[in-house]
Amino acid sequence: MSMNSQTPVFETQPQTAYPRSFSHIGISVPDLEAAVKFYTEVLGWYVIMAPSEVIEDNSAIGEMCTDVFGAGWERFRIAHLSTGDRIGVELFEFKNQQNPEDNFEYWKTGIFHFCVQDPNVEALAEKIVAAGGKKRMKAPRYYYPGEKPYRMIYMEDPFGNILEIYSHSYELHYSSGAYSG
């Protein structure tokens, strides 16, 4: 790495000319079985690895988790799901799991929501509410009112995780400049 005007230049890395694919996301929940039920029955995701326990020990997975979490994590439970477009979802239930008082601290660094796509935003929102979640907005909003059918709404799953629902693809929502006009 060389320094020029206080800006790092990574000489050993080739220029990246393509976008990376999204592989998976990890979501912490207080009740693994309830979360698997919610995400499979309400969002239609499917289980690729049933709930299991990981223990802090000298196994390959135990040592890898100690590398990630540090010593003393003891154990956690995990299930692996997949979305319709092959994105992985790891659901974690940690020992001493805590729900934050304010789960929507969007101004803090980190992930504050994830988004799913469904052409019937309203029906999925009602299904989430019926399963114990809640709306974070009164009703879906249009990106191009009276012009295009692109809608969205912020929701909360029954465990306090924030999710958004889009009616159309991300590209359609933003490619025409959703904030202009």
Side-chain angles (χ1 to χ4, degrees):
M1 183 168 80
S2 65
M3 299 295 276
N4 183 8
S5 302
Q6 307 279 335
T7 303
V9 176
F10 298 94
E11 296 171 4
T12 60
Q13 301 268 333
Q15 182 69 20
T16 302
Y18 58 92
R20 301 297 194 279
S21 297
F22 199 88
S23 173
H24 70 276
I25 186 169
I27 302 172
S28 291
V29 296
D31 182 334
L32 190 61
E33 278 74 19
V36 168
K37 180 177 172 59
F38 173 80
Y39 285 113
T40 57
E41 293 180 4
V42 176
L43 295 185
W45 298 347
Y46 56 95
V47 176
I48 57 176
M49 189 178 98
S52 60
E53 185 172 61
V54 179
I55 299 171
E56 185 176 13
D57 60 15
N58 292 329
S59 68
I61 189 69
E63 288 182 1
M64 185 272 298
C65 290
T66 298
D67 286 347
V68 174
F69 305 128
W73 55 272
E74 294 181 25
R75 65 184 64 238
F76 65 86
R77 298 182 64 235
I78 188 169
H80 295 267
L81 309 180
S82 186
T83 67
D85 55 348
R86 302 180 317 233
I87 301 300
V89 179
E90 295 175 324
L91 298 176
F92 291 87
E93 179 186 318
F94 289 101
K95 179 184 171 209
N96 301 322
Q97 185 272 339
Q98 298 175 11
N99 285 348
E101 287 293 319
D102 182 0
N103 61 341
F104 195 57
E105 297 178 323
Y106 57 87
W107 62 92
K108 291 186 177 179
T109 300
I111 297 169
F112 74 89
H113 78 278
F114 62 92
C115 185
V116 298
Q117 183 179 321
D118 190 297
N120 193 337
V121 171
E122 297 78 6
L124 181 55
E126 292 308 320
K127 195 171 181 180
I128 291 169
V129 170
K134 67 180 186 182
K135 293 180 180 178
R136 299 286 311 193
M137 303 166 64
K138 290 180 189 177
R141 300 285 306 221
Y142 281 83
Y143 273 84
Y144 303 92
E147 183 183 340
K148 294 180 182 177
Y150 307 159
R151 300 175 320 288
M152 60 74 68
I153 189 169
Y154 271 84
M155 303 291 296
E156 189 172 317
D157 75 8
F159 320 104
N161 295 300
I162 307 300
L163 66 132
E164 185 177 15
I165 307 169
Y166 270 17
S167 60
H168 293 75
S169 73
Y170 187 80
E171 292 88 353
L172 286 175
H173 274 265
Y174 292 105
S175 63
S176 296
Y179 302 132
S180 62

